[in-house]
């Protein structure tokens, strides 16, 4: 059964244009083509990258964060409570009002204290500023290395300047050693991101990140097996271009260098929007969809690779909307809004502020210094037992 599945999967109709078979892709002493088994090398390479990352963050990034003044917030520790901890771990981290009341009865605690316990417990699970800084430093280091590696590999390749050259002689395009190692570098990095996904900083676009990583790995792997090497290298170098500006923007944000962060973000926004919404659609999508048809007729691999490229473009549009919204806010307010993908810490003051806003929306405003018997005191004066509250916040004689 396994052999039948293997033979079905590697039918040349799936991977190669009409009229080309695997026999036409046989290697010789002077000619080497991509082999699917080569992709297995990316797994140990990815594990090596994970080890290098751990060492980099511990030895370089963390000490650097201290020297640059990145300080973690002091978070209050919660009192051990087995009932609340079990609910937090097995149910969910943000209980509803009815669940808070039930938990308060079980623990014999005021609802306010239970709510506060959950708020502090959620904060304890949020990544520290130094962790975010270290992760951004690692990604910035890799993207810089990867981007300039891509430019070094491609600067003398004809398809970088004339995109029709991506299809000259396809699929019988020999694999050069520099292209092989560039592919392994990129594929290993995205596998390493998958391996460390449970431990990395989680943002609000976590699901989109998973889709992005999966689509990227499938795209790199399929393009390698089907010898879409040339178009694949263009995709990788285009993506790395904007990422080189995103990570230092985060770094300066964690350092509280506001003006530098804002300036870098504007540069990143321009590079991202141009590279992902202009260069990518023309250089990659139009090239793969239209120019390739000058060489061969459509086949399964043609449709499959175009679907993966379109998935990436849809993600580009999603992130572009977030970026445009942040730039719009910056133009109106003159200051950069926080990253909308970030999960911010909750504080007691924020909770009080939100509750006051909710009461104001409902048209009811209460004085915070109401005593337990319903009287109002001002600056230690005697209770004003002849007055009552009104919804508009004023007091009136009874």
């Amino acid at each position: 059964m396994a052999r039948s599945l293997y033979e079905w999967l590697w039918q040349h109709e799936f991977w190669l244009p009409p009229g080309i078979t695997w026999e036409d892709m046989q290697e010789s002493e002077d000619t080497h083509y991509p082999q699917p088994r080569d992709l297995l090398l990316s797994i140990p390479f990815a594990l090596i990258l994970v080890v290098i990352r751990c060492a980099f963050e511990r030895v370089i990034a963390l000490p650097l964060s201290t020297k640059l003044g990145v300080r973690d917030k002091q978070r209050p520790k919660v009192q051990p409570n087995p009932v609340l901890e079990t609910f937090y771990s097995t149910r969910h981290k943000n209980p509803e009002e009815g669940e808070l009341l039930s938990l308060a009865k079980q623990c014999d605690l005021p609802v306010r204290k239970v709510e506060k316990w959950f708020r502090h417990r959620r904060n304890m699970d949020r990544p520290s500023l130094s962790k975010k800084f270290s992760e951004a430093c690692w990604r910035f280091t890799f993207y810089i290395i990867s981007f300039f590696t891509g430019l070094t590999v491609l600067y003398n390749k004809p398809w970088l300047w004339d995109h029709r050259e991506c299809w000259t002689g396809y699929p019988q395009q020999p694999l050069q050693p520099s292209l092989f190692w560039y592919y392994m570098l990129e594929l290993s990095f995205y596998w390493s991101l998958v391996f460390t996904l449970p431990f990395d900083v989680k943002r609000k676009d976590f699901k989109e990140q998973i889709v992005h990583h999966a689509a990227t790995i499938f795209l790199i792997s399929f393009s390698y097996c089907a010898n879409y090497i040339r178009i694949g290298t263009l995709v990788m170098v285009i993506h790395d271009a904007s990422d080189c500006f995103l990570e230092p923007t985060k770094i300066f944000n964690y350092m509280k260098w506001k003006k530098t962060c804002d300036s870098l973000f504007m540069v990143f926004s321009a590079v991202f929007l141009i590279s992902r919404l202009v260069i990518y659609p023309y250089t990659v999508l139009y090239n793969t969809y239209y120019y390739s048809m000058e060489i061969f007729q459509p086949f399964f691999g043609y449709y499959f690779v175009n679907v993966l490229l379109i998935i990436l473009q849809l993600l580009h549009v999603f992130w572009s909307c977030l970026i445009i919204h942040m730039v719009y806010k910056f133009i109106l307010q003159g200051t950069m809004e926080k990253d909308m993908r970030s999960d911010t810490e909750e504080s007691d003051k924020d909770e009080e502020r939100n509750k006051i806003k909710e009461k104001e929306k409902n048209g009811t405003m209460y004085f915070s210094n109401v005593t337990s018997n319903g009287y109002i005191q001002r600056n230690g004066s005697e209770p004003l037992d002849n007055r009552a509250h009104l919804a508009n916040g004023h007091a009136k004689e009874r």
Side-chain angles (χ1 to χ4, degrees):
M1 182 177 178
R3 183 174 181 82
S4 300
L5 179 62
Y6 179 85
E7 291 177 351
W8 174 83
L9 178 64
W10 294 106
Q11 294 181 72
H12 63 265
E13 290 87 357
F14 290 166
W15 302 89
L16 301 174
I20 304 293
T21 66
W22 291 117
E23 294 180 358
D24 299 318
M25 302 293 293
Q26 293 294 324
E27 294 186 330
S28 64
E29 293 183 0
D30 301 326
T31 305
H32 298 280
Y33 295 112
Q35 299 296 324
R37 63 176 178 270
D38 297 340
L39 298 176
L40 296 176
L41 291 173
S42 64
I43 303 300
F45 288 162
L47 296 176
I48 292 174
L49 280 179
V50 172
V51 173
I52 294 174
R53 171 183 174 174
C54 293
F56 175 87
E57 291 184 354
R58 181 179 295 272
V59 177
I60 298 177
L62 279 176
L64 183 63
S65 68
T66 303
K67 290 184 179 180
L68 294 177
V70 177
R71 297 286 183 267
D72 294 331
K73 291 183 178 180
Q74 295 296 325
R75 295 170 176 171
K77 295 183 178 180
V78 298
Q79 294 294 328
N81 190 309
V83 175
L84 300 182
E85 186 64 39
T86 301
F87 186 93
Y88 182 87
S89 303
T90 59
R91 299 284 295 278
H92 52 87
K93 301 179 180 180
N94 202 350
E96 301 293 336
E97 185 175 352
E99 293 169 329
L100 286 172
L101 291 171
S102 176
L103 289 169
K105 290 180 181 179
Q106 294 180 47
C107 300
D108 194 23
L109 291 173
V111 176
R112 187 69 176 276
K113 283 192 175 181
V114 175
E115 191 176 9
K116 187 175 182 179
W117 188 95
F118 275 94
R119 184 169 58 256
H120 291 170
R121 184 65 180 83
R122 289 192 296 270
N123 284 338
M124 287 176 60
D125 280 351
R126 288 187 171 89
S128 63
L129 204 60
S130 58
K131 176 176 174 56
K132 293 180 180 180
F133 179 91
S134 300
E135 182 179 310
C137 282
W138 163 250
R139 297 195 183 203
F140 172 64
T141 302
F142 177 84
Y143 288 135
I144 284 290
I145 293 173
S146 177
F147 178 65
F148 283 101
T149 298
L151 290 181
T152 302
V153 169
L154 295 176
Y155 84 97
N156 61 348
K157 302 297 188 293
W159 63 87
L160 180 65
W161 314 106
D162 183 1
H163 306 320
R164 281 186 169 88
E165 288 293 327
C166 288
W167 312 109
T168 301
Y170 180 83
Q172 295 168 307
Q173 298 171 335
L175 176 64
Q176 301 176 19
S178 59
L179 298 178
F180 168 78
W181 289 111
Y182 181 44
Y183 249 71
M184 286 299 107
L185 177 67
E186 290 279 356
L187 183 58
S188 300
F189 176 70
Y190 281 102
W191 271 121
S192 73
L193 292 183
V194 172
F195 296 157
T196 59
L197 206 57
F199 314 103
D200 287 342
V201 176
K202 290 182 175 60
R203 303 183 187 277
K204 293 179 181 179
D205 62 347
F206 179 72
K207 294 180 181 178
E208 288 79 6
Q209 286 285 356
I210 294 177
V211 174
H212 175 268
H213 295 340
T216 302
I217 289 173
F218 274 116
L219 178 59
I220 294 176
S221 301
F222 182 84
S223 66
Y224 187 85
C225 295
N227 205 11
Y228 279 107
I229 298 289
R230 297 185 178 184
I231 200 69
T233 54
L234 295 179
V235 173
M236 293 187 293
V237 78
I238 288 172
H239 278 70
D240 289 341
S242 58
D243 291 332
C244 291
F245 293 97
L246 174 61
E247 301 306 326
T249 301
K250 297 178 183 178
I251 291 172
F252 284 112
N253 180 47
Y254 303 145
M255 292 167 55
K256 310 299 183 185
W257 290 25
K258 188 65 177 173
K259 292 184 178 180
T260 306
C261 172
D262 291 350
S263 301
L264 269 177
F265 184 82
M266 297 303 292
V267 175
F268 159 74
S269 301
V271 174
F272 185 96
L273 296 176
I274 293 173
S275 63
R276 306 292 181 95
L277 299 184
V278 179
I279 297 177
Y280 177 85
Y282 173 72
T283 304
V284 177
L285 291 181
Y286 184 74
N287 186 11
T288 307
Y289 178 79
Y290 181 75
Y291 287 154
S292 61
M293 292 297 94
E294 297 177 357
I295 307 298
F296 54 80
Q297 295 300 313
F299 63 106
F300 175 81
Y302 164 82
Y303 294 114
F304 188 70
V305 76
N306 274 285
V307 167
L308 292 176
L309 292 172
I310 290 173
I311 290 175
L312 285 182
Q313 182 60 21
L314 293 176
L315 291 171
H316 296 165
V317 173
F318 170 79
W319 284 313
S320 296
C321 291
L322 296 181
I323 291 171
I324 291 171
H325 179 76
M326 294 177 71
V327 172
Y328 177 73
K329 289 287 187 181
F330 175 75
I331 294 174
L332 289 183
Q333 300 174 1
T335 182
M336 188 60 63
E337 190 183 46
K338 70 177 181 67
D339 187 352
M340 290 180 291
R341 303 175 304 145
S342 299
D343 188 16
T344 56
E345 260 185 70
E346 302 168 89
S347 67
D348 297 336
K349 292 181 179 178
D350 291 336
E351 183 198 18
E352 294 291 343
R353 193 178 299 114
N354 291 335
K355 286 186 175 182
I356 290 174
K357 287 182 179 179
E358 288 180 6
K359 291 176 182 179
E360 288 178 341
K361 287 180 181 179
N362 294 331
T364 304
M365 184 68 188
Y366 296 94
F367 288 97
S368 61
N369 55 351
V370 177
T371 60
S372 59
N373 59 2
Y375 296 155
I376 300 176
Q377 295 178 333
R378 294 183 180 175
N379 301 326
S381 60
E382 294 295 323
L384 303 177
D385 50 2
N386 290 328
R387 301 188 175 222
H389 326 292
L390 285 183
N392 59 6
H394 295 288
K396 162 182 161 180
E397 295 291 335
R398 290 181 185 265

